[in-house]
Amino acid sequence: MIERWREREVFAESVRRRSGAPAWGFYEGPPTANGPPGSHHVLARVFKDIFPRYKTMCGFYVERKGGWDCHGLPVELAVEAELGFTSKDDIERYGIAEFNDRCREKVLSHVEDWNRLTERIGFWIDLKNAYRTLDPDYIESVWWALKTIHDKGLLYEKLKVVPYCPRCGTALSSHELGQPDVYRDVLDPSVYVRFPVTEPHGAAEPGDQLLVWTTTPWTLVSNAAVAVDPELTYVRAQLEGEPPMILAQGLVERVLGPGAKILNRFPGAQLERVGYEPPFGFIAKSEYGERGHTVLLADFVSDEDGTGLVHTAIAFGEDDFRLGEQYGLNVVNPVKPDGTFDERIGAYAGRWVKDADPDLIEDLRARGRLLRAETLEHAYPHCWRCVTPLLYYAKPSWYIGTSQLKDRLLAANETITWHPERVKHGRFGKWLEGNVDWALSRERYWGTPLPVWRCPAGHIRAIGSFAELHERSGIALTDPHRPFVDVITFPCADCGEPMRRVEEVIDVWFDSGSMPFAQFHAPHRNVEHFEQRFPADFICEALDQTRGWFYSLLAVATLLFDRSSYRNVVCLGLILDEQGRKMSKSLGNMVEPWEVIDRFGADAFRWYLFTSKYPWDEYRFSLETIGEAVRLFLLQLWNTYGFYVLYANANEITDRSADAADATELDAWARSRLNATIELVRERMDEFDATAAGRAIQALVDDLSNWYIRRSRRRFWDGDEAAFATLRHCLITVAQLLAPFCPFLADEIYDNLDGSEPSVHLCAYPIPGQRDLELERNMDVARQAVRLGLAARGQAKVKVRQPLRAAVIVATGPERVAIERLADIVREELNVHELRFVSQADELAEIELKPNYDTLGPRFRQQMPLVAAAIAALEPAHVATALLEGRIIAIAIAGHDHELTADDLVVAMKPLPGFQVEREGSHAVALELEIDDELRIEGWARDIVRAVQNARAGAGLDVSDRILLTLDGDPALLDAARAHERYIAGETLALQVSYESVDGGEPTCVDGRELRVAVAVA
Ligand SMILES: [Zn+2]
Ligand SMILES: [Zn+2]
């Protein structure tokens, strides 16, 4: 099929045919191709496929340009691992140009795997013209965006405390902190440290100690100050034989235990300016400035944990940093970018800070400065790529002032339709509400270089195009990556000194967020092309992209164009294993996409992903669950199609027109049912609900198979043109409906049954025709009567082949009219001679009322016998009706009224003698069970037919072969056969029935009597 599509250029043709039609925009969120694609990629790719296919068939022009995300740390890490590097120094020694060459190779190393899988799962996307974020054109568009943002005054550099990965040597943005697996539970030290007061002030007296708590002992080396809340109540508290300690009143018992003596109480404001001796002497008070190593007043202190006195290390906490700014303290940072202490920290110099914790604690203990050391389990952020614990670390970084645009971001979000809707004001809306400025810069190598140049005097110039850079510097760039761009300098327009590029590259999320224009190299070229496709009508990615691509796409568009770049977004859930665990190599529970495709085919994989559940819920995924999807739908469809082909060939039906007049009500029903399905599928697909749409197609195929064909079998045997036309029309339409879901199977069926277009994918999506609502309703009622009747047979253990005298149906008014109109069908299905009607269930059976001990037992306990008696005294028919109407039943027990609901009562039907009843809501059907001789003989005749059919199949006869039939065996059976000879001959295509001895073959048994059957082709 893939071959045929290629040959006939079906994808290109499907787009070409719509040129000039209204455009419907789709943006491909670019994956990275530095590893092979997994099953979750198949999930995203089939959902990115189905709606564009659907919209194309509906008449829209849907361009689908592929894309690859090429830059960023993941690629660098993979190359570092290959080269055995552990730090940025290794990279610089190796050479940035060489390193970036390796990254360039690495990032597209699996593109072929991706392309192969993409084609095999039927994801139609233009991979030949895919955009790549590493291409100079793409980068130039990103530069334009950054310059525009700079010109709006929203791009700035600032010293801030940021989450920082010392291994990767770069800061992370807040949306990277929102990636899954960033927060991991770890054990950290929890230490209470004494800070002896050296300059008493206010409430503090000589000899007192400030009691301070921290979970990062390594930051104590950089202690700059202690913060207290001015209004919180503090105390001087004393343990036996110890100096007085100062801490928050509310924490005394928790920290010091019940034995501490409170000396006095005072508000925190009275501690301001108290001087103390810092826990370590590596950095002098003077380096921090006048307020170094004193108590400061702050607004972020609480008495919920710790001691109420907060250790402040300005370079290592956001609150600390803010407080330092407020009090004019200098930032002193003795931790190097690789996460080790610098030479100022004596014996600890060169050590990874977190590894130094135990020795630092011992040091405090040895000097009598430690009150207590414990451990604490808490969630701590880690680098989402290399799993190194992050440090909060003060460093200069470039930011985009997105927080100034928060209202615009929220307004843009209002224009987006989210699927599921809850994301809009939940996960995504809340994320926008808490917006902080976008930490844009990364001190790395393989990325879009930040196009900002600076002179020694600090003048700044942002460059928006290569031409502009050429003009200023006289140098034409061929590769805008580092290190080539780094050497380009030009004179400052303000002071004439040379301007050099700042070293940073940018967050890769900005690259992918720029794809709406950068994929077309807009605005440098193709402006109109971009504008016609902006914003997109549809994007689709995993739910975790709320803080990734969904955000960056919205943020970039809001910064540049003050609107969202997408109108509809479908969010996809995780793919878990059957036990609900994440799939991972280490658990060995990965299901590789090729495993699924090789075993079940791409259509089955797609069908499972579309219809097994709503895509934003989690998938509990295994090969077995996909097998189930195949069994329940694809096989049924294939068998229905196979049935048509088999009998059409047998009857030499060649007519391909589908508009023969409906010969029967069943034909009319099938077409009406088909039109109902088209309506529903279109409505759901327009709402991006492939799940309900797919299930509607499944229900239709089930109805065709288990009702239309089942009820029309005889007509297919007889070559009834109208039946073939109806079924063919339904199957061709199902193929068209199904084309976006299961493109391979749909095309196979279409091509064989119709083929007037080179592919089903070039057809228009079906448009609903006239429905006969009354007929649909009537058929529903009739089918329900059949279902209940068959259930009653099952209960009575009377096989369907055994005819019964009558079915008695509870039905009045329109329902009765409906069943009467379709009485032949109901009679045949139930295999009864006649239908009778009654208007109320109690004419069929005696209603019995019993207490439900499961609900009432626990409620009434020893009063249960009284309850049972009260229920026995109720009027059963009356109660049954009341419960059906949703009313509540009151009983009185020992003078108290109690209410009973439908859950508390079991309503059973005790059939009248000789009947079996089945009931559902207000509907019921009873079968008369008595089997007289006439019925018995009729039943035998049917059993004989079945035995002959088995013999035909056993002899390998074709469905249309006419036969000569010979019967032998129990005389009573042969009498029955004679009595029903015409019926038997008709059912088995026998031209002649003879009653002679049959030799050989296994005899069959009918109702305990022996029967021998011989068949021969006539
Ligand atoms: Zn890292
Ligand atoms: Zn200058």
Side-chain angles (χ1 to χ4, degrees):
M1 187 58 69
I2 288 174
E3 273 309 313
R4 187 196 297 168
W5 288 350
R6 258 194 232 137
E7 231 165 73
R8 301 181 184 178
E9 292 192 324
V10 178
F11 171 39
E13 178 66 14
S14 75
V15 179
R16 198 154 47 227
R17 282 198 188 185
R18 303 297 184 206
S19 62
W24 191 81
F26 161 72
Y27 289 160
E28 161 74 325
T32 47
N34 60 334
S39 289
H40 56 292
H41 294 115
V42 175
L43 171 65
R45 288 175 105 61
V46 300
F47 272 92
K48 289 175 185 183
D49 184 59
I50 186 172
F51 296 110
R53 278 182 186 269
Y54 167 69
K55 286 292 175 180
T56 301
M57 290 181 79
C58 286
F60 291 90
Y61 178 72
V62 189
E63 224 182 43
R64 281 155 270 177
K65 189 177 173 70
W68 301 109
D69 200 12
C70 303
H71 288 142
L73 256 183
V75 190
E76 292 194 37
L77 287 183
V79 172
E80 280 189 75
E82 275 175 17
L83 296 172
F85 291 175
T86 56
S87 74
K88 285 164 69 175
D89 288 344
D90 292 336
I91 297 172
E92 307 225 343
R93 270 197 298 272
Y94 182 74
I96 296 172
E98 292 75 10
F99 181 76
N100 276 353
D101 276 346
R102 298 287 295 252
C103 290
R104 186 190 301 271
E105 274 166 36
K106 180 79 195 165
V107 73
L108 295 168
S109 58
H110 287 80
V111 162
E112 274 316 306
D113 292 346
W114 278 81
N115 289 352
R116 206 160 53 89
L117 183 69
T118 301
E119 183 174 52
R120 185 61 189 86
I121 59 175
F123 176 28
W124 274 357
I125 186 148
D126 183 358
L127 294 169
K128 280 199 202 81
N129 300 305
Y131 67 88
R132 304 187 306 174
T133 60
L134 59 72
D135 287 332
D137 283 354
Y138 195 97
I139 290 175
E140 192 179 24
S141 293
V142 175
W143 277 19
W144 165 80
L146 291 166
K147 182 189 167 66
T148 307
I149 291 165
H150 177 262
D151 290 350
K152 291 184 179 187
L154 291 168
L155 180 66
Y156 66 92
E157 188 188 34
K158 194 166 189 276
L159 185 68
K160 278 194 190 179
V161 172
V162 290
Y164 174 83
C165 175
R167 214 252 23 128
C168 298
T170 190
L172 278 74
S173 67
S174 51
H175 50 259
E176 283 174 305
L177 276 195
Q179 296 298 311
D181 291 341
V182 163
Y183 281 88
R184 292 163 180 254
D185 284 333
V186 291
L187 279 178
D188 268 332
S190 160
V191 295
Y192 295 85
V193 185
R194 307 169 193 260
F195 288 16
V197 170
T198 52
E199 292 167 53
H201 212 280
E205 294 185 16
D208 288 355
Q209 297 179 336
L210 306 176
L211 196 58
V212 169
W213 174 76
T214 183
T215 57
T216 50
W218 62 270
T219 60
L220 289 170
V221 165
S222 310
N223 173 270
V226 165
V228 299
D229 184 279
E231 271 144 47
L232 198 64
T233 302
Y234 289 80
V235 297
R236 293 173 65 241
Q238 198 162 22
L239 291 173
E240 186 89 30
E242 298 245 352
M245 285 178 273
I246 296 176
L247 70 166
Q249 171 176 264
L251 290 158
V252 171
E253 191 162 331
R254 202 190 311 168
V255 177
L256 298 179
K261 197 168 111 198
I262 307 290
L263 304 178
N264 54 329
R265 296 181 169 78
F266 45 89
Q270 290 190 25
L271 291 170
E272 198 184 3
R273 294 186 176 274
V274 169
Y276 62 86
E277 188 187 333
F280 295 96
F282 299 112
I283 297 166
K285 168 189 169 82
S286 58
E287 294 199 36
Y288 293 108
E290 196 215 321
R291 292 299 302 270
H293 299 155
T294 66
V295 175
L296 312 178
L297 303 182
D299 58 6
F300 54 81
V301 179
S302 82
D303 61 355
E304 272 158 32
D305 54 17
T307 61
L309 287 83
V310 174
H311 150 59
T312 300
I314 295 163
F316 306 111
E318 284 178 71
D319 287 334
D320 311 48
F321 187 83
R322 218 159 29 83
L323 191 65
E325 276 186 324
Q326 190 188 325
Y327 280 94
L329 291 178
N330 301 322
V331 179
V332 181
N333 184 350
V335 176
K336 293 195 286 187
D338 64 359
T340 63
F341 285 117
D342 70 16
E343 64 293 340
R344 280 176 284 187
I345 312 303
Y348 298 96
R351 290 186 65 180
W352 160 235
V353 293
K354 279 189 167 279
D355 286 348
D357 277 345
D359 290 343
L360 290 165
I361 294 168
E362 275 319 302
D363 193 337
L364 291 168
R365 194 192 308 276
R367 289 184 285 118
R369 302 290 293 275
L370 187 69
L371 173 72
R372 198 161 75 237
E374 298 160 349
T375 52
L376 174 78
E377 185 175 343
H378 64 162
Y380 191 84
H382 291 68
C383 177
W384 64 293
R385 283 304 176 187
C386 73
V387 203
T388 303
L390 299 176
L391 304 183
Y392 283 86
Y393 189 86
K395 60 195 308 298
S397 288
W398 288 87
Y399 293 86
I400 297 177
T402 49
S403 61
Q404 294 175 45
L405 269 70
K406 188 169 93 179
D407 291 346
R408 301 310 305 154
L409 288 166
L410 289 167
N413 185 33
E414 287 306 310
T415 68
I416 301 170
T417 307
W418 287 86
H419 305 274
E421 205 199 333
R422 60 175 187 263
V423 179
K424 181 174 188 160
H425 295 123
R427 212 178 161 116
F428 195 67
K430 295 230 157 52
W431 168 247
L432 294 179
E433 291 278 356
N435 189 272
V436 294
D437 286 354
W438 187 340
L440 182 73
S441 57
R442 301 286 180 276
E443 289 117 295
R444 296 294 306 189
Y445 308 96
W446 181 237
T448 296
L450 185 64
V452 171
W453 272 256
R454 178 158 51 194
C455 76
H459 300 126
I460 297 280
R461 166 85 43 198
I463 299 290
S465 74
F466 299 154
E468 185 187 348
L469 187 62
H470 188 185
E471 203 177 293
R472 290 183 187 279
S473 67
I475 300 170
L477 259 184
T478 46
D479 180 352
H481 286 99
R482 297 189 67 188
F484 312 106
V485 68
D486 299 343
V487 298
I488 298 183
T489 62
F490 52 82
C492 175
D494 296 316
C495 67
E497 291 295 308
M499 297 193 104
R500 296 181 182 286
R501 197 184 73 80
V502 301
E503 278 206 342
E504 289 91 340
V505 298
I506 64 162
D507 183 2
V508 286
W509 296 103
F510 193 92
D511 282 355
S512 53
S514 300
M515 65 71 69
F517 48 92
Q519 63 175 334
F520 303 121
H521 195 197
H524 304 293
R525 284 173 51 209
N526 304 323
V527 172
E528 209 180 315
H529 199 77
F530 153 65
E531 281 171 353
Q532 283 163 358
R533 285 153 187 80
F534 182 88
D537 290 286
F538 166 64
I539 62 169
C540 169
E541 301 294 333
L543 201 50
D544 56 19
Q545 294 295 332
T546 41
R547 288 165 188 202
W549 193 56
F550 296 151
Y551 173 67
S552 69
L553 207 54
L554 181 74
V556 171
T558 306
L559 285 159
L560 295 171
F561 312 114
D562 192 25
R563 62 180 300 182
S564 171
S565 43
Y566 51 97
R567 294 193 175 102
N568 295 286
V569 46
V570 173
C571 304
L572 305 171
L574 288 174
I575 292 201
L576 306 174
D577 74 2
E578 249 176 329
Q579 279 90 49
R581 298 173 305 177
K582 270 186 96 164
M583 288 193 178
S584 73
K585 288 221 173 69
S586 58
L587 283 173
N589 59 354
M590 303 275 285
V591 179
E592 298 297 340
W594 286 106
E595 224 176 307
V596 180
I597 293 166
D598 290 343
R599 181 142 159 213
F600 298 108
D603 280 333
F605 203 171
R606 292 173 65 113
W607 186 255
Y608 164 78
L609 294 171
F610 292 138
T611 60
S612 68
K613 57 198 350 346
Y614 274 91
W616 37 85
D617 295 335
E618 292 167 343
Y619 288 84
R620 299 278 171 106
F621 181 57
S622 70
L623 288 173
E624 285 65 41
T625 52
I626 296 179
E628 182 85 340
V630 175
R631 200 173 56 69
L632 287 179
F633 175 64
L634 295 177
L635 269 183
Q636 187 177 41
L637 174 60
W638 192 250
N639 291 339
T640 306
Y641 163 68
F643 175 87
Y644 174 86
V645 171
L646 182 67
Y647 283 93
N649 288 341
N651 288 286
E652 290 167 2
I653 301 284
T654 49
D655 183 12
R656 290 193 152 202
S657 77
D659 30 70
D662 297 331
T664 66
E665 291 222 287
L666 210 58
D667 292 345
W669 172 79
R671 285 178 194 258
S672 190
R673 183 70 188 75
L674 177 70
N675 288 328
T677 306
I678 298 171
E679 275 177 19
L680 181 58
V681 169
R682 278 182 163 265
E683 183 211 299
R684 293 326 305 156
M685 288 298 276
D686 287 339
E687 294 293 323
F688 299 90
D689 180 0
T691 311
R695 289 173 182 176
I697 299 172
Q698 178 164 6
L700 171 67
V701 170
D702 189 56
D703 277 356
L704 289 176
S705 167
N706 281 325
W707 193 246
Y708 180 71
I709 291 182
R710 172 192 165 94
R711 292 300 321 142
S712 311
R713 218 156 244 175
R714 165 51 53 114
R715 296 170 63 208
F716 287 102
W717 294 343
D718 295 347
D720 182 323
E721 294 268 347
F724 280 102
T726 304
L727 183 55
R728 184 172 55 246
H729 174 65
C730 289
L731 283 170
I732 291 169
T733 311
V734 164
Q736 290 164 338
L737 288 173
L738 200 62
F741 294 81
C742 300
F744 301 97
L745 177 62
D747 217 7
E748 179 82 37
I749 293 175
Y750 171 81
D751 201 56
N752 197 16
L753 295 188
D754 182 320
S756 50
E757 290 286 358
S759 164
V760 71
H761 304 292
L762 299 175
C763 295
Y765 210 67
I767 290 169
Q770 207 66 42
R771 286 175 62 185
D772 183 340
L773 292 174
E774 199 196 337
L775 178 58
E776 284 182 41
R777 266 196 305 272
N778 290 348
M779 195 65 83
D780 281 347
V781 172
R783 290 184 70 184
Q784 190 195 32
V786 169
R787 205 167 53 242
L788 291 174
L790 291 177
R793 267 188 182 272
Q795 284 296 320
K797 300 194 169 57
V798 181
K799 61 188 174 193
V800 181
R801 280 199 303 282
Q802 175 59 58
L804 294 175
R805 186 61 59 197
V808 187
I809 300 172
V810 180
T812 53
E815 292 185 345
R816 176 163 175 177
V817 172
I819 297 170
E820 281 177 336
R821 187 173 152 191
L822 299 165
D824 287 349
I825 292 177
V826 177
R827 228 175 13 237
E828 269 187 55
E829 276 290 311
L830 293 181
N831 195 12
V832 296
H833 282 200
E834 59 173 312
L835 299 183
R836 292 203 302 268
F837 293 90
V838 295
S839 50
Q840 277 184 1
D842 53 6
E843 295 178 48
L844 293 183
E846 218 176 302
I847 295 172
E848 283 185 324
L849 215 50
K850 291 175 190 158
N852 179 359
Y853 286 90
D854 290 345
T855 63
L856 297 175
R859 186 167 148 202
F860 289 100
R861 297 171 189 283
Q862 69 273 31
Q863 283 186 320
M864 204 50 218
L866 297 175
V867 175
I871 290 172
L874 294 169
E875 168 55 53
H878 175 76
V879 169
T881 313
L883 291 179
L884 280 175
E885 289 164 0
R887 282 185 279 144
I888 281 167
I889 308 300
I891 54 170
I893 303 295
H896 292 282
D897 284 338
H898 296 278
E899 291 185 341
L900 304 183
T901 66
D903 288 340
D904 300 325
L905 294 163
V906 181
V907 181
M909 306 279 281
K910 188 175 160 208
L912 301 174
F915 284 86
Q916 180 71 39
V917 181
E918 197 66 26
R919 173 171 168 276
E920 186 180 293
S922 59
H923 300 109
V925 173
L927 294 180
E928 201 179 317
L929 295 176
E930 197 201 331
I931 299 169
D932 58 20
D933 287 346
E934 188 196 346
L935 292 173
R936 177 164 296 109
I937 287 169
E938 243 184 87
W940 288 350
R942 288 185 176 239
D943 283 336
I944 292 168
V945 166
R946 184 178 165 82
V948 177
Q949 304 290 28
N950 287 342
R952 283 185 61 114
L957 298 189
D958 208 70
V959 289
S960 58
D961 285 338
R962 301 306 195 254
I963 58 166
L964 301 175
L965 173 63
T966 312
L967 298 173
D968 184 17
D970 186 289
L973 284 184
L974 296 185
D975 284 346
R978 284 190 192 93
H980 293 277
E981 190 177 296
R982 265 189 48 179
Y983 161 73
I984 293 171
E987 292 290 314
T988 61
L989 302 184
L991 297 181
Q992 188 195 309
V993 186
S994 46
Y995 303 89
E996 288 161 23
S997 67
V998 171
D999 298 326
E1002 282 293 301
T1004 44
C1005 184
V1006 170
D1007 207 3
R1009 294 157 197 269
E1010 189 183 297
L1011 178 73
R1012 287 180 179 273
V1013 178
V1015 296
V1017 178

